[in-house]
């Protein structure tokens, strides 16, 4: 009897938990009956664990690179004299006495190896510096207008290098540069996709809705753009950009160049959908009610397949990010002093760098990561895009 | 079949025309003409030209004419004589520069295309038949990474790996001792020792999407009734899968050739630049950086038109293999 009590106690908890779970599932199920389509898509998307995690990671990545001024310990062009190609600084949690301490670093010292005539870096464990969070620095402007005096982390003594990812040929902190570079590399995807979206939905919409000669002409142009390899065209066009253009002009021009082909896929999706939807009752009803062509396309037809567009856009972003990386890597994209992940990788172009300074390849990790995340999110969205088909 | 070929041939003409216009546009695009760049470059080396010499150059290339006329001049020279202008950088006719390197570019592209398919089809079939097995997950992960990893990085990493494990540095298609040498068995063997790396890199980038398409279609196909029927009739499993659902599932792959080939040509340029291969890629890049626009425009045109022609050839070949394709397209 006595031995049974805990058992029934636990089984009581379990069964009440099961009941609660059941009623919650039922409640969700019921709320789904009259949920909007957006809610349904979100519900289906949440089931896709990998896609959810990816979305969160991407959000963090974007957030950190927008506020890179705060998160990066140093500026993108700040140089540490005499610290060229220095390896990442080791962070220690256990101090010299063998006790657990706050994260600290040991000052790096540089010596010339007289045999190889190369500089060698080593830790000087007698001089340790504690890493401080919200450390005070010289005043700067967050996003160019919010005055700030603190950075997320750093050392009291700003002259001592804290190089999480090592430094480059000119002694600049690779970690900080990666964060700043994210601003260009991550947002060029959005910019390119926006251009592609506008061009694609307008041209695809016209092509699908009117058909005939217009359709035929637009389809031929799309065919040319799809069948032509894009890198040669990108190279030719970016070579034509004036050498004396400023960073912003170059950035906008590269965005346009990268989206030259991006809109074609979108235009095809829009066209195909519109052709199949324009004969549906709701479109005919709108027409009978005297709605204008523009109103029918943008008010009635476009919203009916917006989820497909979102999927397509998500899956188009990584292509544009990769394109920028490739162009900058080849020296034809973003130009220094502006930094993008591609320009950072440009410095890791030969095997020599790879063998001696492997940390110069760390930007690649961010490129690959961001692209994988976008692909996962896109996959999750694709499965969620058609919530009414979930019973299949 | 003949109707199909004729229809495709007619369709390709406006395509080629548009490509030539785009390519010529890139020649005219840079602000200030290439003659100015050329003259500037000469002046930098201490060679000053007078006005008469500069005008002579302008006249020689027809640069004092309106753009449309220049295009006609350029195109007719190309179609009739095969001439595409002169490269200021190499101080040679563009035609010679391109012809010297084109065969290698084409070889790498074609072999890479074949390797892409050779890798993708077996893996795709395996993934679909052993869905959710360890091998399937591994294939999916590798596919995703192949999709996300920029070509040049993979080339760098593999090149480094080969160097550190075998001591062989792949910097170009031929080792130094064979570089200017005439063809011999030794040179060919040397080429084989170097060329596999760019081919593997280029091919790997394209396989991921092919595997995903093949896997998805095969998963749909293998549960259909005709498969069950065949199984009920006692056909050996292996023959059954290969003979029916796989053949159906390969069809959607065929329609992807249209964009796989451009993708491979693009990849070839970047990988060639990274590994320093003697193909058109590095020439195109150097010409673009040096604003040698005749060379840039001509390479863009040649690469693009060859890609289009290659796609057409593969389309015709496949229509010949699979009658449904040619009837579908004619009906449409």
């Amino acid at each position: 009897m006595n031995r049974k009590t805990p058992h029934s106690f636990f089984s009581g908890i379990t069964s009440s938990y099961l009941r609660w779970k059941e009623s919650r599932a039922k409640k969700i199920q019921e709320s789904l009956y009259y949920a909007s389509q957006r809610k349904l898509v979100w519900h289906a998307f949440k089931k896709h664990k990998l896609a959810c995690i990816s979305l969160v990671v991407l959000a963090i990545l974007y957030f950190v690179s927008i506020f890179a001024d705060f998160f990066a310990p140093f500026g993108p062009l700040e140089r540490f004299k005499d610290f060229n190609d220095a390896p990442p600084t080791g962070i220690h949690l256990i101090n010299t006495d063998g006790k657990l301490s706050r994260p600290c670093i040991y000052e790096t010292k540089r010596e010339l190896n007289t045999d190889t005539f190369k500089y060698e870096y080593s830790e000087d464990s007698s001089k340790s510096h504690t890493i401080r969070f919200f450390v005070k620095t010289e005043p700067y402007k967050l996003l160019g207008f919010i005055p700030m005096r603190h950075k997320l982390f750093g050392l009291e003594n700003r002259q001592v290098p804290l190089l999480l990812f090592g430094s480059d040929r000119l002694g600049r902190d690779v970690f900080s540069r990666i964060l700043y570079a994210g601003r260009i590399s991550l947002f060029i995807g959005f910019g390119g996709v926006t251009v592609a979206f506008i061009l694609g939905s307008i041209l695809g919409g016209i092509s699908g809705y009117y058909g005939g000669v217009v359709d035929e002409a637009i389809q031929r142009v799309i065919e040319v753009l799809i069948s032509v390899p894009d890198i040669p065209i990108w190279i030719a066009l970016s070579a034509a950009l004036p050498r004396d253009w400023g960073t912003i002009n170059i950035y906008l021009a590269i965005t346009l160049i990268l989206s030259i082909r991006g809109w074609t896929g979108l235009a095809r999706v829009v066209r195909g959908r519109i052709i199949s939807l324009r004969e549906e009752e709701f479109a005919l009803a709108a027409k009978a009610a005297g709605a204008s062509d523009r109103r029918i396309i943008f008010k009635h037809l476009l919203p009916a397949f917006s989820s497909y567009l979102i999927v397509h856009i998500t899956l188009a972003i990584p292509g544009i990010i990769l394109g920028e990386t490739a162009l900058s890597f080849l020296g034809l994209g973003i130009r220094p002093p502006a930094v993008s992940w591609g320009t950072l990788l440009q410095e890791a172009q030969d095997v020599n760098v790879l063998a001696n300074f492997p940390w110069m390849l760390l930007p690649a990790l961010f490129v690959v990561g961001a692209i994988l995340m976008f692909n996962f999110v896109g996959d999750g969205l694709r499965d969620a895009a058609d919530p009414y088909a979930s019973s299949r | 079949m003949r109707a199909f070929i004729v229809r495709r041939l007619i369709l390709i003409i406006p395509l080629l025309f548009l490509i030539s216009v785009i390519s010529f546009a890139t020649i005219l695009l840079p602000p200030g003409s290439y003659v100015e760049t050329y003259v500037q470059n000469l002046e930098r080396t201490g060679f000053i030209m007078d006005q008469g010499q500069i005008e002579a150059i302008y006249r020689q290339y027809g640069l004092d004419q309106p753009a449309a006329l220049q295009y006609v001049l350029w195109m007719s020279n190309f179609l009739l004589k095969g001439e595409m202008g002169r490269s200021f950088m190499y101080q040679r006719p563009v035609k010679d520069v391109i012809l010297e390197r084109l065969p290698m570019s084409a070889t790498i592209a074609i072999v890479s295309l074949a390797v892409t398919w050779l890798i993708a089809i077996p893996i795709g079939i395996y993934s679909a038949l052993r869905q959710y097995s360890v091998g399937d997950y591994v294939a999916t992960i590798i596919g995703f990474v192949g999709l996300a990893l920029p070509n040049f990085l993979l080339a760098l990493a593999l090149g480094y790996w080969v160097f550190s494990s075998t001591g062989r540095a792949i910097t170009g298609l031929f080792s130094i001792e064979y570089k200017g040498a005439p063809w011999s068995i030794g040179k060919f063997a040397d080429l084989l020792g170097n060329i596999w790396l760019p081919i593997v890199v280029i091919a790997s980038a394209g396989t991921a999407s092919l595997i995903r398409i093949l896997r998805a279609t095969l998963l749909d196909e293998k549960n259909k009734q005709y498969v069950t029927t065949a199984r009920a009739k006692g056909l050996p499993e292996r023959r059954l899968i290969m003979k029916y659902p796989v053949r159906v599932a390969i069809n959607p792959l065929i329609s992807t050739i249209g964009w796989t080939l451009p993708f491979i040509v693009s990849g070839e340029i970047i990988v060639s630049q990274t590994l320093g291969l003697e193909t058109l890629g590095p020439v195109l890049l150097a010409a673009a950086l040096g604003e040698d626009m005749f060379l840039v425009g001509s390479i863009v045109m040649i690469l693009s038109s060859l890609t289009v022609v290659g796609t057409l050839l593969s389309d015709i070949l496949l229509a010949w293999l699979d009658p449904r394709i040619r009837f579908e397209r004619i009906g449409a």
Side-chain angles (χ1 to χ4, degrees), chain A residues 50 216 220-221 223-233 235-237 239-243 261 315 322 325-327 329-332 342 345-346 348-352 354-356 361 363-365 367-369 371-372 375-376 379 382, chain B residues 11 14-16 18-19 22 26 29-31 141 144-145 147-153 156-157 159-160 163 212 258-259 261-263 265-267 269-270 273-274 281 284-285 287-291 293 296-297 299-300 303-304 307-308 311:
Chain A
L50 194 56
E216 198 62 30
R220 283 296 87 75
V221 173
E223 220 163 90
V224 172
L225 290 175
I226 285 183
S227 54
V228 162
D230 39 19
I231 294 275
I233 302 270
I235 289 178
L237 290 181
L241 300 180
R243 292 275 175 265
R261 226 179 87 158
L315 291 174
L322 269 184
T325 311
L327 267 188
F329 177 78
L330 294 175
L332 283 164
L345 285 172
Q346 202 187 348
Q349 225 175 43
D350 62 299
V351 172
N352 202 10
L354 223 64
N356 295 319
L361 271 182
L365 220 64
V367 177
V368 173
I371 284 160
L372 275 181
N375 271 307
F376 290 146
D379 268 8
R382 179 167 33 207
Chain B
L11 272 180
L15 228 77
L16 289 177
L18 274 177
I19 286 175
I22 294 174
T26 61
L29 260 183
I141 291 170
F144 262 124
V145 172
L147 207 68
L149 205 63
N151 267 338
F152 58 86
L153 268 180
L156 270 178
Y160 176 59
F163 176 71
R212 277 160 89 192
W259 56 259
L261 200 55
F263 186 74
V265 171
S266 288
I269 289 178
I270 294 191
Q273 170 64 23
T274 318
L284 173 63
L285 201 71
L289 288 172
E291 292 199 17
M293 294 316 277
V296 173
I299 292 178
V300 168
L303 281 182
S304 309
T307 310
V308 171
T311 311

Side-chain angles (χ1 to χ4, degrees), chain B residues 38-86:
Chain B
Y38 178 59
V39 171
Q40 271 169 18
N41 282 345
L42 277 183
E43 276 172 5
R44 217 169 290 149
T45 56
F47 190 90
I48 308 290
M49 293 176 108
D50 65 28
Q51 201 54 36
Q53 280 169 307
I54 295 174
E55 269 167 23
I57 296 180
Y58 269 97
R59 237 173 293 127
Q60 190 187 340
Y61 293 100
L63 297 176
D64 42 359
Q65 313 282 349
L69 204 67
Q70 283 187 48
Y71 169 75
V72 173
L73 206 75
W74 186 63
M75 246 359 250
S76 56
N77 262 336
F78 171 63
L79 292 176
L80 299 176
K81 291 182 255 169
E83 297 287 347
M84 287 174 279
R86 198 176 166 80

Side-chain angles (χ1 to χ4, degrees), chain B residues 12-243:
Chain B
I12 205 176
I13 291 170
L15 228 77
L16 289 177
F17 171 71
L18 274 177
I19 286 175
S20 70
V21 170
I22 294 174
S23 311
F24 188 72
T26 61
I27 297 183
L28 293 185
L29 260 183
S33 68
Y34 31 83
V35 175
E36 277 169 33
T37 328
Y38 178 59
V39 171
Q40 271 169 18
N41 282 345
L42 277 183
E43 276 172 5
R44 217 169 290 149
T45 56
F47 190 90
I48 308 290
M49 293 176 108
D50 65 28
Q51 201 54 36
Q53 280 169 307
I54 295 174
E55 269 167 23
I57 296 180
Y58 269 97
R59 237 173 293 127
Q60 190 187 340
Y61 293 100
L63 297 176
D64 42 359
Q65 313 282 349
L69 204 67
Q70 283 187 48
Y71 169 75
V72 173
L73 206 75
W74 186 63
M75 246 359 250
S76 56
N77 262 336
F78 171 63
L79 292 176
L80 299 176
K81 291 182 255 169
E83 297 287 347
M84 287 174 279
R86 198 176 166 80
S87 157
F88 294 124
M89 206 168 70
Y90 287 82
Q91 288 299 329
R92 289 166 63 193
V94 166
K95 182 183 74 173
D96 295 356
V97 179
I98 292 182
L99 277 184
E100 193 179 84
R101 297 201 164 211
L102 188 59
M104 221 24 117
S105 281
T107 311
I108 292 182
I110 292 168
V111 177
S112 301
L113 183 66
V115 172
T116 306
W117 282 60
L118 279 181
I119 298 176
I121 292 178
I123 295 182
I125 295 175
Y126 178 85
S127 289
L129 295 183
R130 305 257 189 285
Q131 195 187 4
Y132 303 133
S133 68
V134 178
D136 179 26
Y137 280 121
V138 170
T140 311
I141 291 170
I142 291 179
F144 262 124
V145 172
L147 207 68
L149 205 63
N151 267 338
F152 58 86
L153 268 180
L154 189 58
L156 270 178
L158 271 182
Y160 176 59
W161 177 70
V162 169
F163 176 71
S164 62
S165 58
T166 67
R168 182 181 186 133
I170 298 186
T171 49
L173 286 172
F174 304 102
S175 308
I176 299 159
E177 63 263 36
Y178 288 111
K179 243 167 204 160
W183 281 101
S184 63
I185 296 174
K187 183 171 178 175
F188 187 68
D190 180 57
L191 176 66
L192 286 186
N194 289 321
I195 208 171
W196 66 270
L197 184 90
I199 286 176
V200 165
V201 172
I202 299 165
S204 72
T207 47
S209 51
L210 290 192
I211 290 175
R212 277 160 89 192
I213 296 170
L214 181 60
R215 180 173 177 274
T217 358
L218 194 53
L219 278 178
D220 279 350
E221 276 318 308
K222 73 169 188 176
N223 294 326
K224 287 204 171 155
Q225 283 183 343
Y226 69 90
V227 180
T228 317
T229 312
R231 194 172 287 137
K233 287 194 166 188
L235 212 62
E237 189 66 24
R238 196 187 167 80
R239 237 181 96 198
L240 158 80
I241 295 284
M242 288 302 157
K243 203 156 176 187

